[in-house]
Amino acid sequence: MIKKYVYGSPVKTGATVMEIAAEGGDPAVFAVERGERYSFSCALGEKDRVYGLGEQVRGINKRGWKYEGWNTDDPIITEGRTALYASHNFIVVCGARTFGVFFDCAGRVQFDIGYTRRDALSVTTEDADVYLIEGEDINAIIHEFRTLIGRSYIPPRWAFGYGQSRWGYQSEEDIMEVVEGYANSDLPLDMIYLDIDYMERFKDFTVDRTRFPDLKGLAARLKARGIRLVPIIDAAVKAEPGYSVFEEGVARGYFCKDAAGDPFIVGVWPGDSALPDVLNEDARRWFGEQYRVLLDSGIEGFWNDMNEPTIFYSRRRLEHTIDNASSWQGKSLALGDYNRLIASFTGLQNNPLDYKEFYHETEQGRIVHERVHNLYGYYMTRSAAEYFEEYAPEKRFLLFSRSSYIGMHRYGGVWTGDNASWWSHILLNLKMLPSLNMCGFLYCGADLGGFGGDTTEELLLRWLALGVFTPLMRNHATNGSRLQECYRFTDMQAFRNVLGVRYTILPYLYSEFVRCALRGEMLFRPLAFVYDDERSAHVEDQLLFGDSVMIAPVYEENAMGRYVYLPEEMKLIRMKGGSYTEEILSCGDHFIEVPVDEVVFFLRPGKVMPIAAPADCVERMDGALRWLQFIQQPTAYELCEDDGISPIRGEECLRRVVVEPQ
Ligand code: MIG
């Protein structure tokens, strides 16, 4: 049951798809205070757990820390952070009383979940629609919430293959080197990503002709080999006379404007740039249409970046800062002055004051950016998705974004931004999966191998052994870091084994994904959502993956394996490429040895899992199925059978197959 409460006059965010009449009064679970902000608080019982918040730091159980809904580009992702690239303001309090609550507010939202006081929860918002969701148990509540926010995005089937990316591929030669590197080492590849270097001086929707003389030809040649090129699009458009996207946007008034009505100029990769006003319907349509030049070149997938939106500096603040700095010329600086001078420059990036200085022209009137900050990535991505639908209504496209807000899950997926080649980030990747799923984001993944810093062969292999389960499986790294394409390392057979598992389990991954999207279920669930025992309630490093499988990846360096808790008897599967061994393990704790060239997972009793033979790309899989099973009687499985490309409209694509015990 969902109840809606309205505080102030909130901006309509587009998060939900159901009209619900507002209740009077306040949600009974909270004490509500009205001041400059609204504050919602309640007690937390000793055993209460709190789930949700989608893309965030820390645990699956969010209790014990303070978090913020405020989309932020900051590539140092540590435990001390309170906000990442996305705001997913949905939580479920689970315990003596179990309820879900969604704070639909596009401005800053603060969550204090047992931080100030271990026994109290408090959330503060600006004007907001607040949805209280009650149900039989946590799964029912989440299902109800997913109905409220609408069906999740389903990418084409090829987007479930393995992809290689790197910031630094400069030219067609670089791309071909990667493609051949994978082919020569007999490693699979479905996607290769183009980062900002393919553009002409970082101008969106342009291609550098000297380094990529024939993008269309390249895309076609790669596609013939089963590989898709997936270019990046940045939020801001270079402010350059003669550049048609900029000139047209200015002429039509489609960029965000300052108080005087001029385009608000920010510095990002191309230098001075303007931000398309994606919250304005006409501007959004226009920005989406710009993707056409790349679609016409045969491109079928995109990743949208810098859409928090990131501001390295605003023109105005930079000028002011430079003036201020020059006023120190020839003077002696005391340490305090020196520190302030430095801070005036480092503080230019994503300065909160800049977000107060530009406006959106929306159907709901002119709105200062700060109030709708968290919607920018959502609407940038929506602009592309809505245009794709118009461009080729009979086709699904790959689309994912760095920044997001709930509601965007209907239009695209997410990657979780600039992680690092740290062991702790494998675990962080795992912990984010169920919370993202709760908020509707099913197509998601982290930069495998780590974005920042230098990876190692072992770290990459272990991370891939988690990545084989995540819908978006992409190896990506930053400029200047150690090269981390799989073929750069020594033990090729190990990489073949691990990547091969992805293709082997693909029929299962795809079927589970589509079913979860169609029915508003979670692909990754914490053990606590399925098992009632006290131990399961606290497991933070294992997950249910679909309905049949439990995963427990290794996330420590030089580990021989790891302890795994089995809440029930399960069948241990050790998989290398297309081959596997099985062993039944009893309920309880087990030390599982896991060599780096192997992927392990656990099949639940009464369950089956469709698998295939590995191939070098999704399109070349032969379609023959095998079944892993741990059953005593004939068991039904809902297999997704479609062409992998056409839009999925309903459950017709799911076919019930009965598997006989063997
Ligand atoms: O300021 O396009 O998160 O994946 O490689 C950095 C360059 C901009 C940030 C993205 C990352 C991408 C990088 N981008």
Side-chain angles (χ1 to χ4, degrees):
M1 196 189 38
I2 309 181
K3 286 187 181 155
K4 176 180 175 179
Y5 302 84
V6 180
Y7 293 88
S9 32
V11 173
K12 289 195 183 65
T13 63
T16 61
V17 295
M18 277 165 64
E19 284 300 330
I20 293 176
E23 307 276 322
D26 297 321
V29 294
F30 290 120
V32 181
E33 273 172 57
R34 293 159 169 82
E36 229 164 84
R37 292 167 64 77
Y38 297 92
S39 127
F40 303 82
S41 40
C42 69
L44 289 176
E46 188 59 34
K47 291 200 163 170
D48 289 359
R49 286 164 278 130
V50 181
Y51 296 100
L53 296 184
E55 182 180 301
Q56 259 296 0
V57 293
R58 299 208 169 207
I60 294 176
N61 178 357
K62 297 266 110 32
R63 190 164 175 174
W65 189 237
K66 53 185 172 172
Y67 306 87
E68 219 176 3
W70 184 257
N71 296 354
T72 307
D73 169 24
D74 174 346
I76 309 299
I77 299 175
T78 58
E79 262 181 55
R81 292 284 299 280
T82 55
L84 300 178
Y85 306 88
S87 296
H88 303 145
N89 306 326
F90 172 57
I91 55 173
V92 179
V93 177
C94 198
R97 176 148 193 202
T98 298
F99 61 92
V101 54
F102 173 42
F103 299 90
D104 192 8
C105 165
R108 212 179 275 273
V109 180
Q110 277 144 337
F111 295 84
D112 179 332
I113 308 182
Y115 166 73
T116 302
R117 288 180 59 110
R118 276 187 55 223
D119 61 355
L121 164 84
S122 95
V123 181
T124 70
T125 71
E126 296 165 11
D127 291 1
D129 285 331
V130 177
Y131 296 87
L132 178 71
I133 304 158
E134 287 171 300
E136 198 179 305
D137 61 16
I138 190 161
N139 296 301
I141 289 168
I142 293 166
H143 185 265
E144 189 88 4
F145 177 62
R146 298 276 298 281
T147 310
L148 173 69
I149 62 175
R151 205 186 97 178
S152 300
Y153 160 78
I154 303 177
R157 189 178 168 109
W158 53 262
F160 289 87
Y162 168 73
Q164 179 65 56
S165 183
R166 180 177 181 81
W167 178 12
Y169 296 154
Q170 293 284 344
S171 61
E172 176 167 335
E173 289 72 52
D174 286 356
I175 297 298
M176 289 316 296
E177 186 190 322
V178 175
V179 169
E180 299 307 347
Y182 271 90
N184 294 338
S185 297
D186 203 11
L187 294 166
L189 188 67
D190 263 273
M191 284 153 286
I192 178 152
Y193 289 80
L194 296 174
D195 207 318
I196 46 176
D197 308 293
Y198 80 89
M199 299 178 201
E200 188 194 312
R201 289 177 297 120
F202 308 127
K203 283 150 69 181
D204 274 346
F205 314 112
T206 68
V207 177
D208 187 301
R209 297 275 161 218
T210 54
R211 292 179 288 108
F212 288 90
D214 178 20
L215 188 76
K216 190 173 185 174
L218 179 64
R221 268 180 285 130
L222 291 180
K223 191 171 167 183
R225 296 171 67 165
I227 300 168
R228 258 75 172 193
L229 265 183
V230 183
I232 195 170
I233 300 293
D234 278 3
V237 166
K238 184 173 175 65
E240 182 180 84
Y243 167 38
S244 64
V245 183
F246 176 66
E247 294 213 326
E248 218 175 282
V250 172
R252 300 195 190 178
Y254 287 164
F255 292 117
C256 294
K257 299 184 193 76
D258 62 17
D262 296 318
F264 185 73
I265 300 299
V266 299
V268 210
W269 288 106
D272 281 2
S273 306
L275 292 164
D277 186 0
V278 288
L279 297 186
N280 172 283
E281 227 175 301
D282 297 331
R284 182 158 78 244
R285 187 154 196 282
W286 166 81
F287 190 74
E289 280 165 10
Q290 306 305 315
Y291 286 76
R292 172 158 198 165
V293 284
L294 291 159
L295 296 167
D296 284 346
S297 293
I299 299 297
E300 297 171 303
F302 296 87
W303 49 309
N304 283 344
D305 191 19
M306 306 296 279
N307 49 9
E308 291 67 32
T310 305
I311 297 179
F312 290 165
Y313 58 81
S314 67
R315 186 74 245 166
R316 209 161 295 153
R317 196 169 303 282
L318 177 66
E319 271 159 19
H320 179 80
T321 305
I322 292 172
D323 283 350
N324 170 59
S326 13
S327 72
W328 287 99
Q329 188 86 48
K331 292 186 197 149
S332 145
L333 271 90
L335 190 66
D337 296 327
Y338 168 78
N339 286 336
R340 267 187 293 280
L341 178 63
I342 298 289
S344 69
F345 284 95
T346 54
L348 285 171
Q349 181 149 355
N350 304 327
N351 191 308
L353 297 173
D354 282 336
Y355 294 121
K356 291 178 191 286
E357 287 185 14
F358 63 94
Y359 298 84
H360 298 272
E361 307 284 348
T362 79
E363 283 176 300
Q364 302 166 69
R366 182 165 177 267
I367 306 176
V368 65
H369 176 78
E370 183 185 42
R371 286 193 67 206
V372 288
H373 176 70
N374 294 333
L375 297 181
Y376 196 89
Y378 167 9
Y379 281 87
M380 177 195 177
T381 299
R382 182 165 170 169
S383 82
E386 285 175 341
Y387 182 65
F388 299 165
E389 166 102 46
E390 196 180 308
Y391 180 85
E394 285 319 309
K395 197 159 137 177
R396 278 145 52 197
F397 289 83
L398 169 59
L399 179 62
F400 60 92
S401 172
R402 191 171 68 180
S403 185
S404 62
Y405 185 82
I406 291 172
M408 199 199 86
H409 69 286
R410 303 194 297 273
Y411 299 94
V414 292
W415 95 97
T416 53
D418 298 345
N419 62 11
S421 298
W422 299 339
W423 287 89
S424 62
H425 277 185
I426 299 183
L427 195 52
L428 182 61
N429 181 179
L430 177 136
K431 290 180 186 196
M432 276 189 211
L433 293 166
S435 50
L436 280 163
N437 282 190
M438 281 173 70
C439 299
F441 293 91
L442 294 186
Y443 191 76
C444 54
D447 289 352
L448 303 174
F451 177 76
D454 293 330
T455 202
T456 65
E457 180 162 359
E458 186 192 351
L459 176 64
L460 178 57
L461 280 165
R462 293 295 199 196
W463 209 328
L464 289 169
L466 166 61
V468 295
F469 303 113
T470 64
L472 167 63
M473 185 188 184
R474 182 177 77 142
N475 175 340
H476 180 51
T478 188
N479 225 339
S481 64
R482 179 180 186 176
L483 299 175
Q484 70 184 40
E485 295 80 14
C486 297
Y487 59 83
R488 309 264 181 202
F489 298 92
T490 50
D491 187 354
M492 278 312 105
Q493 192 52 47
F495 284 97
R496 263 174 241 132
N497 290 349
V498 174
L499 296 184
V501 169
R502 170 60 162 216
Y503 293 81
T504 303
I505 67 165
L506 202 113
Y508 175 74
L509 168 61
Y510 187 67
S511 298
E512 294 293 305
F513 182 97
V514 171
R515 181 179 50 77
C516 289
L518 290 174
R519 302 220 180 114
E521 291 172 20
M522 293 167 66
L523 180 62
F524 293 100
R525 285 171 298 172
L527 268 52
F529 289 19
V530 179
Y531 300 100
D532 297 328
D533 61 295
E534 193 62 22
R535 280 289 301 283
S536 291
H538 297 99
V539 174
E540 289 267 341
D541 60 356
Q542 305 174 199
L543 294 174
L544 275 310
F545 162 54
D547 190 43
S548 305
V549 171
M550 182 179 81
I551 61 170
V554 172
Y555 52 87
E556 278 175 343
E557 191 163 26
N558 297 314
M560 269 173 64
R562 55 164 287 178
Y563 278 97
V564 179
Y565 170 67
L566 269 57
E568 59 184 334
E569 184 184 67
M570 288 186 184
K571 194 185 255 187
L572 164 66
I573 311 284
R574 297 181 172 278
M575 199 173 256
K576 291 182 180 191
S579 58
Y580 58 88
T581 63
E582 309 181 353
E583 180 189 347
I584 294 172
L585 296 179
S586 59
C587 170
D589 293 290
H590 295 267
F591 186 84
I592 308 290
E593 283 188 25
V594 189
V596 287
D597 66 342
E598 214 171 85
V599 176
V600 303
F601 56 88
F602 304 83
L603 197 58
R604 299 173 62 200
K607 305 292 179 184
V608 297
M609 177 186 193
I611 58 172
D616 56 9
C617 65
V618 170
E619 279 180 358
R620 277 204 276 276
M621 293 180 65
D622 63 14
L625 287 186
R626 298 178 285 165
W627 293 88
L628 286 174
Q629 50 160 274
F630 189 21
I631 53 176
Q632 241 101 62
Q633 51 216 357
T635 301
Y637 185 82
E638 289 181 289
L639 195 64
C640 179
E641 289 181 320
D642 75 325
D643 64 7
I645 299 284
S646 312
I648 292 182
R649 313 247 180 241
E651 296 200 2
E652 310 80 64
C653 61
L654 300 179
R655 184 169 68 91
R656 214 165 153 269
V657 180
V658 176
V659 181
E660 298 294 329
Q662 263 167 14

